[in-house]
Amino acid sequence: MNKTQEFISENKEVFLSELFDLLRIPSVSADPSKKEDMIKTAESVKQSLLDAGADMAELCETPGNPIVYAEKIIDSALPTVVVYGHYDVQPADPLDLWDSPAFEPVVKKTEIHPEGAIFARGACDDKGQMFMHVKAFEAMNKSGELPCNVKFMIEGEEEVGSICLDAFVKENHEKLAGDVILISDTGMLANNTPSITTGLRGLSYVEVEVTGPNRDLHSGLYGGAVANPINVLNRMIASLQDENKHITIPGFYDKVVELSEKERTEMGKAPFSIEDYKAALDLGDVEGEAGYSTMERATIRPTLDVNGIWGGYQGEGAKTVIASKAYAKISMRLVPDQDPDEITELFVKHFESIAPDSVKVKVTAHHGGMPYVSPTDSIAYNAASKAMEEAFGKKPIPVRSGGSIPIVSLFEQELKMKTILFGFGLDSDAIHSPNEHYGLFNFYKGIETIPYFYKHFVEMKK
Ligand code: BES
Ligand code: MN
Ligand code: MN
C-alpha cells in the first residue's frame, strides 16, 4: 500500500465524522429560509479544503448561493484536474416518511449495504460523494503524493438549475482552466459491478395552468355544461403520449440520435435483472416506450413525465365544486441532440394547439439543460477505467445514465474540457427521496479510487 492509501485507512473514522458534520447542515437550495445554512455549508467546505492542503480557498459570491473555489498548483507544467460537486441538497420532505431525521446522519445496515450505509439528505447526492474528493485530495497531499494540480469548484445551486454557476463559468475561463473535469455525482451498476457513466440526459421543465370558468362553480348547477379544467388538463396530458408511449408533440423526436444495433447490443450486456428491478420497486410490471428495453427507456430515450398535478378540493370529506384552475409540472428528459430550448418551444406550441376553446392555457418554462455524452477512448476515460479496475479488481462497464447534470455540457462548451462522471452511488440509494443513504463501502471505495485516477491520468498524459 502506498502512503496515500495508508493515510486513508488510518483516517476512516475521522473522515466519516467530518462528513456527518457536513450532513447536519440543512443546505436545501430550494428553500429561501435556508440562506444562512447555505453559507454555513459553503464555509465548512472551504475550511475542509484549506485543512486538506489547498493553497487558497474562497467563497465566490453570486446573486444566489456562493461557489466554493479552491486550488493547489504544484507545477504549471503538470496537468490540472478540476473537481466539480455540489453542497446543496434537495428538500427532505415528506419528512414523516424518513425512518430517522434527514439532517441527523446515522449508519444503518441494509440488504444492499451489509457493512452499513449513511442515512441523511445529501449522503449520496452530493455531499458524501463531493467530500470523497476533498478527503482523497487531503490524503494525497499529506502523504506528499499529489501528482498534479487540482482545482475545486463546489456549487450550492445544482438542485435548482445551476443558474449562477452558469454565469461564473462563462466569466472565469482562465481561473477554471484545466485538463479534465472530475465529478462524483452519479452512480454505478452495483458494488460488485463497477461502471463509469458516459452520458446524461438533458431536461426541459414546464409548468402548465389551465383556466376554465373565472371562479369556482357549484358542480351541480354548472357540472356538465362548462369545461372542468381538471378534466381537460388530464385529457390534454393523456394525449401527449400514444398507445406505444411515444410522445406526440410534433418534432419532438426530430433530433434524437438513434443508437446503432451494435451500440444497443453492447448496452444490453450490462447485467440487469428485470425481476429484481420490479421486486425492488414493488411493481407488477414495467411500462415504457414500445421497442426499447427498460435500461434503454431509462437512459437513451427521451421521456415526458408529470411531476406534480393539482387543483380543486383536496381537504377532508367531499366538496362539490368545479375548480376554476388546474395545474401540472411536467418534465421532459432529453437525449442527444435534442435542445432544451427547442423542445420547450415545441411543447408550448403543441400544448396551446390542443387546448379546447372552453379553456385558456398558460405555460411557464423552468430551468433546462443539455444532454451529454462522453467519449470512451480518451486519456481521461482510460485513466478512470484503470483506476476503477485497480480499486475493484474488475474493469468498469461504460453506461449511460438517465439523470441530468446540466452544467456538464456547459463545461464542455465554455471551458473546452471533457468530464469524467466518476460516480459511486447506487440507484437504490434513494436520492431525492426519504431515507436517502450512501454505502460506507461506496464512500471509502470512492476515496480509495480517486487517487488512482490522478496517478493514471498524470502518467498517461506524459
Ligand atoms: N446527481 C444528480 C443527477 C444524477 C443522479 C445523475 C444519479 C445520474 C445519476 C443531480 O443532483 C440531480 O438531481 N439533477 C437533477 C437535475 C437538476 C437540473 C435539478 C435531475 O436529474 O433531476
Ligand atoms: Mn447531484
Ligand atoms: Mn440531485
Side-chain angles (χ1 to χ4, degrees):
M1 212 191 308
N2 64 20
K3 287 201 195 105
T4 301
Q5 297 300 337
E6 263 167 41
F7 184 92
I8 293 169
S9 54
E10 280 160 16
N11 286 280
K12 282 182 147 184
E13 290 308 315
V14 187
F15 292 172
L16 188 63
S17 99
E18 289 171 346
L19 173 61
F20 271 35
D21 289 340
L22 197 60
L23 291 170
R24 286 193 188 99
I25 320 174
S27 50
V28 179
S29 49
D31 181 351
S33 78
K34 295 288 189 290
K35 190 75 200 168
E36 263 173 48
D37 288 311
M38 302 310 297
I39 293 165
K40 213 171 130 188
T41 314
E43 288 287 356
S44 158
V45 173
K46 173 187 150 187
Q47 193 55 49
S48 50
L49 283 160
L50 286 173
D51 294 345
D55 296 334
M56 64 82 84
E58 62 184 2
L59 296 196
C60 303
E61 294 306 327
T62 73
N65 298 323
I67 295 158
V68 185
Y69 176 82
E71 62 180 37
K72 180 153 182 115
I73 308 295
I74 56 172
D75 179 349
S76 60
L78 285 168
T80 301
V81 173
V82 183
V83 176
Y84 162 84
H86 61 96
Y87 65 81
D88 66 321
V89 302
Q90 285 276 326
D93 53 277
L95 298 179
D96 52 322
L97 293 184
W98 284 78
D99 296 328
S100 55
F103 297 105
E104 292 172 29
V106 282
V107 170
K108 286 185 279 191
K109 291 187 181 6
T110 74
E111 208 173 305
I112 291 179
H113 297 292
E115 71 301 316
I118 308 151
F119 281 76
R121 172 57 84 233
C124 176
D125 184 11
D126 179 43
K127 284 174 174 168
Q129 296 212 62
M130 173 270 287
F131 202 61
M132 300 181 318
H133 286 271
V134 181
K135 294 296 112 176
F137 168 59
E138 177 176 348
M140 289 185 280
N141 235 335
K142 297 199 172 157
S143 323
E145 292 179 341
L146 181 69
C148 62
N149 308 312
V150 196
K151 294 176 176 176
F152 281 86
M153 166 180 33
I154 313 296
E155 71 154 319
E157 300 188 321
E158 195 277 341
E159 300 291 8
V160 289
S162 301
I163 305 294
C164 296
L165 184 69
D166 209 282
F168 180 78
V169 169
K170 287 180 180 156
E171 287 158 18
N172 287 284
H173 285 192
E174 214 161 300
K175 183 178 187 126
L176 301 172
D179 296 271
V180 67
I181 294 182
L182 189 60
I183 305 180
S184 294
D185 192 24
T186 54
M188 51 180 198
L189 288 172
N191 281 355
N192 57 9
T193 316
S195 60
I196 295 177
T197 303
T198 53
L200 294 163
R201 286 196 284 195
L203 185 67
S204 157
Y205 201 113
V206 295
E207 185 165 333
V208 301
E209 179 193 277
V210 175
T211 307
N214 59 5
R215 60 184 170 87
D216 287 6
L217 301 174
H218 188 290
S219 67
L221 299 182
Y222 290 93
V226 299
N228 178 329
I230 302 177
N231 294 16
V232 173
L233 175 59
N234 278 309
R235 274 203 307 271
M236 290 172 74
I237 288 172
S239 80
L240 295 176
Q241 282 169 332
D242 66 16
E243 66 283 3
N244 290 318
K245 302 291 175 308
H246 262 84
I247 294 152
T248 55
I249 300 168
F252 185 85
Y253 291 97
D254 284 2
K255 292 197 173 168
V256 170
V257 177
E258 296 281 343
L259 266 65
S260 66
E261 275 314 312
K262 192 167 157 258
E263 287 171 303
R264 290 180 69 182
T265 312
E266 215 35 59
M267 243 192 105
K269 287 185 187 156
F272 176 77
S273 151
I274 192 75
E275 289 313 318
D276 291 353
Y277 186 84
K278 287 194 284 188
L281 301 175
D282 200 10
L283 294 173
D285 204 355
V286 292
E287 192 185 286
E289 189 182 2
Y292 295 92
S293 71
T294 293
M295 273 276 245
E296 289 172 337
R297 288 168 178 170
T299 59
I300 58 158
R301 296 298 296 167
T303 64
L304 183 148
D305 275 294
V306 178
N307 293 240
I309 183 163
W310 69 102
Y313 183 63
Q314 312 195 17
E316 286 283 313
K319 177 184 180 192
T320 48
V321 65
I322 291 174
S324 167
K325 288 178 189 289
Y327 306 84
K329 291 187 192 272
I330 298 172
S331 68
M332 288 160 280
R333 294 279 169 176
L334 312 178
V335 300
D337 291 327
Q338 289 176 297
D339 176 286
D341 293 336
E342 280 173 27
I343 293 293
T344 302
E345 208 180 303
L346 291 177
F347 179 94
V348 175
K349 224 169 96 192
H350 179 66
F351 205 74
E352 286 172 353
S353 80
I354 61 172
D357 290 339
S358 51
V359 299
K360 297 183 199 67
V361 302
K362 194 170 104 191
V363 185
T364 323
H366 286 279
H367 56 72
M370 293 284 285
Y372 180 75
V373 272
S374 77
T376 52
D377 57 2
S378 64
I379 289 180
Y381 184 88
N382 287 321
S385 179
K386 267 192 120 170
M388 279 216 150
E389 192 171 353
E390 191 165 352
F392 288 81
K394 253 188 204 178
K395 205 175 148 118
I397 306 171
V399 287
R400 296 226 339 226
S401 169
S404 308
I405 310 176
I407 201 73
V408 172
S409 75
L410 193 95
F411 287 154
E412 169 154 38
Q413 223 176 295
E414 291 290 322
L415 305 174
K416 313 290 175 223
M417 271 187 277
K418 294 281 182 196
T419 289
I420 293 295
L421 295 157
F422 216 32
F424 293 84
L426 299 181
D427 282 355
S428 56
D429 287 343
I431 62 172
H432 294 202
S433 299
N435 301 313
E436 173 177 354
H437 56 278
Y438 190 41
L440 287 177
F441 170 86
N442 305 70
F443 179 60
Y444 292 128
K445 210 41 149 181
I447 301 175
E448 176 191 340
T449 311
I450 292 163
Y452 297 145
F453 171 81
Y454 280 70
K455 180 184 76 180
H456 292 303
F457 185 64
V458 174
E459 265 166 26
M460 291 166 134
K461 279 289 257 185
K462 271 179 197 159

